[in-house]
Amino acid sequence: MKVKKNVARKLASQARFQALLILDQVENHGGYSNVLLDRFHQETSLSPVDTNLVVKLVYGVIQRRYSLDYFLAPFIKGKKVDDWVASLLRLSIYQFIYLDRIPDHAVFSQAVEMAKLIGHAGLGGFVNGVLRNFQRRADLDLNKLENPLQALAVKYSIAPWIIKELQHQISEADLEALLGSLLEEPYVSARIVKSGLNSQAAREQLSEEGLTSQASPISPVGLRFESGNPVHSSLFQQGALTIQDESSQLVASLGKLQAGMTVLDACAAPGGKATHIAQILRDLGGGKLQALDISSAKLTKVDDHLQRLGLSQFVSLQVEDASKFIPTDGKLYDRIYLDAPCSGLGLMRRKPEIKYSKQANHIQALAEIQAELLNHTSSLLKPGGYLIYSTCTLASQENEEQVGAFLQEREDFELDQIIADEVMAAGLINDQGMIRIWPHQYHTDGFFIARLKKIK
């Protein structure tokens, strides 16, 4: 979407225009909603109310894209619609259907104005006509969809293949609860880094600065925010807090770390787990973490996080493909963390575009990469050491099946079951002794963690 500078200046103060800019990048140019919204938060001059509206609009439209396209289809059938105009129409009908507090006349006037200014007068007339017809004749009854799979796909706006993937893992009731939870706005969550700072004290200090937070139900060092952006807090600026989803905060502590250990984080970016491992080593009295990532740009960001948190002295960073990495000194590691590249299906609430961009064939390709990483990194572990394998996906092929296949081939490893005493919520542990977090359980990212012990 090309917007003339004078038009951008004229529309800059409108929340719907800012939402449209982000939606166009996500829906039509491969952008990531969470990255773009983070940048928007840092750069915007909009009021807090309008800023919150932008976030709600962006997440809402992307989360419900299939549903919106289904409702919109009869009114644009046979017509050539530019990609950005389709985004504008989705943005508009989302407000009609799902945001009761926004007056219809405000939706009409701003949508038509944007169509005219970004496009031309005729485009404004087209958008006005589509929206008027939609408002008069839209049929929002999904009960007419006879195919059960299609009905779920449209109702919860998710690709049918993902529904099939989930159907063989959880009950029908849990499936609907999970799919429904993906349509909710995600929490911003953070991890307490400062030694001696407990959850209650952190929340009280944040409250004084106008940020409302609550303790995480699954992480003893986690906070979730109901209002305000923790990035702007004094605790964050001081390096006492860092942004990390609650489910991924469980990984580092499951490594049974001890003072003086040498640890490998094979796929370190974006750095949440690496900084947490370094934090634990610091609190234990010392140790050394070797953090790898194939991307130098991402590893630079990990370095930025470490410096802000005062943890750089415990970590060595190296740009390296973990599947080919050999330590130069030839020494083996006490602990290895492998947060493997995955399909990211556990992030569908936080990154809703995943529901449309991922394909079923991606799972098999990623599973092969994960198996290669597991096989190689496991050779770098000392006998008696632990390898923590984690993903942020819901696909069993990348999780339980991946671990099962590895153990079937490797007599030198066994599953070290995670027990209830190691976690705040026992319901996170599956029957096999691995952590499996579903997004609807605690409103976190979906996550998987298994702990493997090298026995010889």
Side-chain angles (χ1 to χ4, degrees):
M1 180 175 71
K2 294 182 179 180
V3 184
K4 295 178 180 178
K5 290 183 179 179
N6 64 318
V7 171
R9 284 194 297 268
K10 184 172 183 178
L11 297 174
S13 62
Q14 295 187 14
R16 292 171 183 82
F17 173 66
Q18 297 298 334
L20 179 62
L21 290 176
I22 296 172
L23 286 169
D24 179 61
Q25 286 298 311
V26 174
E27 296 183 332
N28 307 320
H29 301 287
Y32 297 102
S33 56
N34 63 319
V35 174
L36 291 166
L37 283 170
D38 284 346
R39 186 184 306 161
F40 166 74
H41 272 295
Q42 293 170 12
E43 299 175 354
T44 187
S45 58
L46 295 183
S47 69
V49 172
D50 280 344
T51 298
N52 289 338
L53 177 59
V54 171
V55 174
K56 183 177 288 292
L57 290 173
V58 169
Y59 272 124
V61 172
I62 301 173
Q63 285 170 335
R64 297 184 182 271
R65 181 173 177 175
Y66 274 6
S67 307
L68 295 172
D69 284 350
Y70 175 81
F71 296 137
L72 187 60
F75 305 99
I76 58 173
K77 187 177 181 180
K79 299 174 183 176
K80 180 176 173 57
V81 180
D82 289 343
D83 289 340
W84 75 267
V85 178
S87 295
L88 175 59
L89 291 171
R90 292 187 196 105
L91 174 63
S92 302
I93 67 169
Y94 171 77
Q95 295 171 81
F96 286 149
I97 300 172
Y98 300 108
L99 297 185
D100 296 337
R101 295 183 179 180
I102 296 182
D104 287 355
H105 67 82
V107 179
F108 273 112
S109 63
Q110 291 200 3
V112 172
E113 180 187 28
M114 284 190 283
K116 287 180 178 179
L117 291 175
I118 300 171
H120 49 78
L123 197 55
F126 169 75
V127 167
N128 183 65
V130 170
L131 296 182
R132 295 287 178 191
N133 287 334
F134 174 84
Q135 193 180 46
R136 287 194 296 263
R137 303 199 303 269
D139 182 358
L140 306 180
D141 184 6
L142 297 178
N143 293 323
K144 295 180 180 180
L145 292 170
E146 296 181 0
N147 183 302
L149 184 61
Q150 184 190 13
L152 284 174
V154 173
K155 180 179 180 180
Y156 295 109
S157 193
I158 190 167
W161 77 265
I162 299 178
I163 298 175
K164 290 181 179 179
E165 169 65 35
L166 298 172
Q167 280 177 327
H168 75 271
Q169 297 188 63
I170 57 178
S171 68
E172 184 176 345
D174 279 337
L175 175 62
E176 292 232 28
L178 188 162
L179 297 178
S181 79
L182 298 178
L183 299 176
E184 299 168 359
E185 193 172 321
Y187 285 110
V188 175
S189 55
R191 188 185 83 243
I192 298 171
V193 179
K194 183 178 179 181
S195 298
L197 179 64
N198 62 36
S199 175
Q200 182 62 34
R203 290 168 58 208
E204 289 174 0
Q205 184 170 336
L206 290 162
S207 179
E208 292 174 0
E209 299 178 26
L211 287 83
T212 306
S213 61
Q214 56 180 274
S216 167
I218 65 170
S219 169
V221 291
L223 299 173
R224 54 173 55 168
F225 289 80
E226 299 165 335
S227 66
N229 188 340
V231 172
H232 302 311
S233 70
S234 60
L235 286 177
F236 185 89
Q237 301 300 327
Q238 295 162 8
L241 282 184
T242 191
I243 303 301
Q244 186 181 14
D245 186 74
E246 299 157 70
S247 54
S248 68
Q249 292 176 26
L250 305 183
V251 179
S253 62
L254 292 173
K256 298 184 178 181
L257 294 169
Q258 298 174 20
M261 281 187 165
T262 56
V263 184
L264 177 68
D265 184 355
C267 302
K273 299 173 195 68
T275 60
H276 198 180
I277 295 165
Q279 174 187 342
I280 294 173
L281 290 175
R282 175 201 65 189
D283 294 344
L284 287 170
K288 198 64 179 179
L289 170 65
Q290 178 78 54
L292 313 177
D293 202 85
I294 198 169
S295 167
S296 60
K298 290 181 178 179
L299 211 56
T300 298
K301 292 183 178 180
V302 176
D303 188 34
D304 292 341
H305 291 316
L306 289 165
Q307 291 188 40
R308 183 180 65 82
L309 300 174
L311 296 168
S312 297
Q313 63 181 305
F314 302 101
V315 185
S316 297
L317 302 174
Q318 185 173 339
V319 179
E320 187 72 58
D321 180 348
S323 67
K324 300 177 175 62
F325 171 70
I326 301 294
T328 54
D329 59 9
K331 293 181 180 179
L332 301 178
Y333 293 93
D334 298 297
R335 301 288 186 267
I336 293 177
Y337 290 81
L338 176 58
D339 188 49
C342 68
S343 59
L345 296 181
L347 308 178
M348 288 187 286
R349 184 190 295 115
R350 192 176 307 281
K351 300 178 181 179
E353 59 272 12
I354 287 173
K355 297 192 290 183
Y356 321 112
S357 62
K358 296 295 182 182
Q359 304 296 327
N361 59 2
H362 293 163
I363 303 294
Q364 178 58 40
L366 286 162
E368 292 173 5
I369 294 171
Q370 292 153 6
E372 183 181 6
L373 283 165
L374 256 177
N375 283 320
H376 180 71
T377 57
S378 63
S379 68
L380 308 178
L381 185 65
K382 291 179 181 179
Y386 295 95
L387 187 154
I388 312 301
Y389 175 81
S390 60
T391 75
C392 55
T393 183
L394 305 179
S396 59
Q397 189 176 353
E398 301 177 81
N399 295 333
E400 292 91 348
E401 293 178 37
Q402 184 68 257
V403 171
F406 173 80
L407 292 174
Q408 190 169 9
E409 292 185 5
R410 298 291 295 270
E411 295 182 354
D412 55 337
F413 274 85
E414 67 180 11
L415 179 69
D416 189 64
Q417 293 191 340
I418 299 164
I419 60 175
D421 289 347
E422 296 181 88
V423 295
M424 288 176 62
L428 302 178
I429 304 172
N430 66 16
D431 293 340
Q432 298 165 280
M434 298 179 274
I435 285 182
R436 169 68 97 134
I437 306 175
W438 297 96
H440 64 292
Q441 287 179 292
Y442 297 98
H443 203 90
T444 65
D445 291 343
F447 219 82
F448 174 83
I449 311 170
R451 184 168 60 207
L452 309 171
K453 183 176 182 179
K454 193 168 190 176
I455 54 180
K456 58 182 178 180

